Amino acid sequence: MKRLPIMLKLEGKTAAVVGAGKVAARHIPKLLSAGIKEVMVYSPSLDQSLAGYHDHSQIIWIKGEISERHSFDTDLLLLTSTNHELHQRLLEQRKPGQLIYLADDPVASDIHFPITITRGELSVALSTNGSSPTYAKQLKEKIEECLTDEIEGDLIFLDKVRRQVQEAVSEPSQRKQLLRQATSEKVLRNKDRDTLMKQMIDDVIH
Ligand SMILES: C[C@@]1(CC(=O)O)c2cc3[nH]c(cc4nc(cc5[nH]c(cc(n2)[C@H]1CCC(=O)O)[C@@](C)(CC(=O)O)[C@@H]5CCC(=O)O)C(CC(=O)O)=C4CCC(=O)O)c(CCC(=O)O)c3CC(=O)O
Ligand SMILES: NC(=O)C1=CN([C@@H]2O[C@H](COP(=O)(O)OP(=O)(O)OC[C@H]3O[C@@H](n4cnc5c(N)ncnc54)[C@H](O)[C@@H]3O)[C@@H](O)[C@H]2O)C=CC1
């Protein structure tokens, strides 16, 4: 099962989710936190953990069972019910360009949801390509132990530095050198790293 890990922009996009059980309850919050425009949920029942999203109008719940006569024209279609046949029929009727996720058929799915660890602007995504979700979950915990509390603040600092350097320094090799120095322990762990970095930029341009 060959796959390319990519980061997907969801702002302005729409999703339909068929079924609202445990799997839907894991994935819907991910869509919402990525800023998707609209999530329509089609299911006779709604998992307890999705009730709050419904109460706050973050999802639209269309109560009832879906049959294969239904068609969806959303950008994303997540098939998370327990009805394998229904999923296969809906897959056959897909709209051009639509990305489909089948909770019970990783091979036919266009997309997977890797386990994601976020620390501010850092995202770590990991997948065993369906070989063992349980192993992936364990690996997540090991990786989390390696990620320090400093990462979030470091990335805010480095983002600011990067913009300052891009504005002040036009020579590409000087830019590259400054941006590399900014990531050194000497700079990152300095108590007054903002001032130190400003000085370093000044030294290069004067
Ligand atoms: C392909 C993928 C879907 C995708 O494309 O996204 C997929 C597919 C399937 N999972 C199944 C079962 C289980 N899934 C979990 C748990 C998780 N599953 C997740 C991801 C993925 N699962 C994707 C691959 C990721 C990868 O390989 O790295 C995690 C890591 C992340 C997430 O989904 O959020 C999440 C951690 C939750 C957490 O962190 O809490 C557990 C264990 C548990 O719940 O504790 C079990 C039972 C034990 C077992 O079976 O191993 C079944 C069989 C269903 C059946 O038998 O009916 C299928 C379908 C199939 O394999 O056919
Ligand atoms: N991808 C993954 O990580 C995993 C996938 N699975 C597979 O995903 C599927 C769903 O699993 P769970 O969420 O645990 O099941 P669940 O039983 O918690 O949820 C199923 C949902 O589908 C709804 N539903 C059933 N028929 C429907 C229909 N015709 N139209 C609309 N909604 C319908 C139910 O009302 C319920 O809300 C199963 O096929 C299971 O084998 C299970 C565990 C993990």
Side-chain angles (χ1 to χ4, degrees):
M1 198 170 34
K2 287 185 179 164
R3 302 284 165 174
L4 174 70
I6 52 168
M7 312 282 277
L8 193 61
K9 181 178 169 182
L10 289 181
E11 276 166 37
K13 302 279 192 240
T14 56
V17 183
V18 175
K22 288 186 286 297
V23 172
R26 283 213 308 272
H27 296 330
I28 288 172
K30 299 175 195 171
L31 302 178
L32 294 172
S33 62
I36 197 163
K37 189 172 92 183
E38 192 176 88
V39 178
M40 314 268 278
V41 180
Y42 298 83
S43 182
S45 61
L46 196 65
D47 187 89
Q48 183 61 36
S49 70
L50 291 171
Y53 296 105
H54 179 240
D55 293 344
H56 294 96
S57 307
Q58 290 169 283
I59 58 174
I60 300 162
W61 177 26
I62 294 101
K63 196 171 175 176
E65 282 210 353
I66 286 300
S67 79
E68 59 191 62
R69 288 185 301 278
H70 205 101
S71 74
F72 299 91
D73 58 5
T74 47
D75 300 303
L76 254 65
L77 176 58
L78 273 58
L79 303 175
T80 73
S81 83
T82 37
N83 188 334
H84 181 74
E85 279 307 309
L86 171 70
H87 292 181
Q88 295 302 316
R89 297 289 87 75
L90 293 173
L91 177 67
E92 285 163 13
Q93 300 160 26
R94 69 187 310 161
K95 290 279 183 294
Q98 190 176 49
L99 292 176
I100 303 196
Y101 169 82
L102 298 95
D104 56 351
D105 192 346
V107 176
S109 287
D110 295 316
I111 51 170
H112 286 184
F113 291 89
I115 288 198
T116 315
I117 307 166
T118 45
R119 295 284 181 280
E121 294 300 317
L122 176 77
S123 303
V124 179
L126 69 127
S127 163
T128 66
N129 221 359
S131 305
S132 174
T134 305
Y135 185 85
K137 205 171 155 181
Q138 284 170 14
L139 205 52
K140 177 191 184 187
E141 285 158 23
K142 288 190 193 155
I143 294 171
E144 275 174 331
E145 284 169 22
C146 302
L147 300 177
T148 64
D149 293 340
E150 288 141 352
I151 291 174
E152 193 165 342
D154 285 352
L155 288 174
I156 293 171
F157 167 73
L158 289 167
D159 181 53
K160 195 168 60 189
V161 167
R162 187 154 187 263
R163 280 183 280 112
Q164 286 166 349
V165 169
Q166 282 173 342
E167 203 170 296
V169 185
S170 52
E171 173 56 41
S173 65
Q174 289 180 335
R175 269 191 190 184
K176 201 170 160 183
Q177 198 190 351
L178 278 166
L179 293 174
R180 195 174 297 162
Q181 284 169 338
T183 63
S184 69
E185 289 290 297
K186 186 176 149 256
V187 172
L188 286 179
R189 303 282 76 84
N190 189 290
K191 290 228 156 35
D192 193 3
R193 60 188 184 185
D194 289 285
T195 310
L196 174 63
M197 204 58 225
K198 278 205 182 79
Q199 270 167 9
M200 289 166 70
I201 297 173
D202 279 351
D203 290 349
V204 166
I205 57 178
H206 292 121

